[in-house]
Amino acid sequence: SRQELCAAFGIIAIESSFMKQFVKGRIKDNELTPDDLLDDEAARKSPELYISGVVVREPDGSIGHKRACAMVWGMAKFLERQYGFRRKRTVYALAVSKTSKNSLVRAGFHHFNGPNDRADQLELYCLDVTKERIATIITRVGDYSGRCRIQFDSLAHGGRESKT
């Protein structure tokens, strides 16, 4: 089997004052600096997270769709394992294209604001992270645990996925 990166994502916890302004649409995510990121301990306590990036190799076609589904499964497992469900937590994501908007809606995200009331002119979506919501997402995209192995080093380093 080939072990190659086919999809990647970033889920980050951001300092509260920046996050509040970002969620309101007053500042863009590209204004984020390393000082705005929370360390592992503070991130675990953060009530809000941001999906800062999603990349899928060759996203068009059936293979790209499977890669995207595996990535969504990986994000769901990351949220489950790294953050758990004991705290109320909301994840935010920007829809940067019609495809990303459709993916967010299919995963259960709800429109929060934008595009007209945001500095970035994009639409912001949100999802309350609950055990039931994560289970629903995994049911929709499929369980890739038999095909993919994920190793999460720490919150700061995210996860690495490799095919087995």
Side-chain angles (χ1 to χ4, degrees):
S1 71
R2 296 182 308 178
Q3 291 195 3
E4 59 184 21
L5 182 65
C6 297
F9 63 88
I11 298 177
I12 58 176
I14 302 170
E15 198 274 328
S16 178
S17 63
F18 185 99
M19 191 66 178
K20 285 179 184 174
Q21 295 302 310
F22 171 71
V23 167
K24 288 179 182 178
R26 295 181 182 157
I27 54 180
K28 300 177 184 181
D29 68 348
N30 65 1
E31 297 174 49
L32 183 69
T33 68
D35 290 338
D36 296 315
L37 299 176
L38 298 178
D39 63 28
D40 282 3
E41 186 177 335
R44 287 193 208 299
K45 297 174 185 173
S46 178
E48 298 174 312
L49 302 170
Y50 174 53
I51 299 175
S52 62
V54 173
V55 179
V56 177
R57 183 192 298 175
E58 302 168 3
D60 298 326
S62 63
I63 291 178
H65 176 75
K66 286 180 184 177
R67 289 174 177 159
C69 288
M71 185 204 48
V72 171
W73 168 80
M75 290 188 338
K77 298 309 273 183
F78 177 79
L79 290 168
E80 178 181 74
R81 291 180 188 168
Q82 299 296 96
Y83 291 99
F85 306 113
R86 292 187 357 198
R87 295 181 184 272
K88 185 178 185 309
R89 201 174 317 273
T90 303
V91 175
Y92 293 90
L94 288 170
V96 297
S97 67
K98 187 167 182 77
T99 301
S100 64
K101 175 182 178 175
N102 291 339
S103 296
L104 289 168
V105 170
R106 277 195 309 273
F109 280 72
H110 300 281
H111 185 263
F112 188 81
N113 64 17
N116 297 333
D117 51 350
R118 296 191 55 80
D120 52 27
Q121 296 295 294
L122 296 171
E123 292 181 274
L124 184 68
Y125 285 78
C126 65
L127 176 80
D128 291 330
V129 179
T130 64
K131 190 174 190 174
E132 296 77 21
R133 177 65 64 197
I134 295 299
T136 298
I137 290 171
I138 291 172
T139 298
R140 284 184 184 163
V141 299
D143 183 354
Y144 285 77
S145 58
R147 291 174 263 180
C148 299
R149 186 184 76 239
I150 301 176
Q151 176 183 340
F152 299 118
D153 299 330
S154 72
L155 291 177
H157 295 68
R160 290 191 307 254
E161 179 179 323
S162 60
K163 289 184 166 185
T164 57

